[in-house]
Amino acid sequence: MLKSVLKFGLVGGLATLVHITVGILWIRFGLNPLVANFLAYITALIVSFWGHHSFTFNNHNLPLGKTAPRFLTTSALGFLLNELILASFVGLNLMSPSSALALATLLVAGFTYLLSRRWVFNGPSH
């Protein structure tokens, strides 16, 4: 399990870095933080699925047709949670939009790991 946590951290870290970077760039270009977060999410989603399917949980022995819908569901739930946290922090003026985006994205990472390990890529070899 430690190995998969480390792999998840590596891929998730890369996807999170992509998410935060793209989101902050869009915010700095004047886009609404919630719209910027959505565009960043879509970009990071591609990085995340490819990395987790082919590297983190590469021993799952499940077809793409089974993991992709599960991953999209998990990712969508994570995104909704991320948006809710971001909207709350921005709406309550607790921190800057860029800091709120970064924090919301990091907070959701544990949730997505658990769902990915227990459901999305839970194949015969787990």
Side-chain angles (χ1 to χ4, degrees), residues 50-77:
W50 173 82
H52 291 314
H53 183 79
S54 61
F55 177 67
T56 306
F57 302 107
N58 61 341
N59 62 346
H60 55 76
N61 298 318
L62 295 172
L64 187 64
K66 187 166 188 165
T67 58
R70 289 178 177 186
F71 185 83
L72 290 174
T73 300
T74 298
S75 182
L77 289 172

Side-chain angles (χ1 to χ4, degrees), residues 38-122:
F38 177 73
L39 295 175
Y41 159 76
I42 294 299
T43 305
L45 177 69
I46 297 164
V47 172
S48 184
F49 179 73
W50 173 82
H52 291 314
H53 183 79
S54 61
F55 177 67
T56 306
F57 302 107
N58 61 341
N59 62 346
H60 55 76
N61 298 318
L62 295 172
L64 187 64
K66 187 166 188 165
T67 58
R70 289 178 177 186
F71 185 83
L72 290 174
T73 300
T74 298
S75 182
L77 289 172
F79 174 72
L80 290 174
L81 183 58
N82 180 300
E83 276 288 88
L84 180 63
I85 294 168
L86 175 60
S88 298
F89 287 157
V90 170
L92 295 171
N93 203 26
L94 296 174
M95 59 186 64
S96 74
S98 296
S99 296
L101 184 140
L103 181 58
T105 302
L106 292 170
L107 289 173
V108 173
F111 167 78
T112 57
Y113 172 77
L114 291 174
L115 278 179
S116 293
R117 177 152 176 79
R118 300 288 180 198
W119 181 56
V120 176
F121 299 107
N122 191 10

Side-chain angles (χ1 to χ4, degrees), residues 19-29 36 40 97-99 101-102:
H19 187 143
I20 292 169
T21 302
V22 170
I24 289 172
L25 286 173
W26 280 118
I27 289 170
R28 289 190 179 164
F29 279 120
S98 296
S99 296
L101 184 140

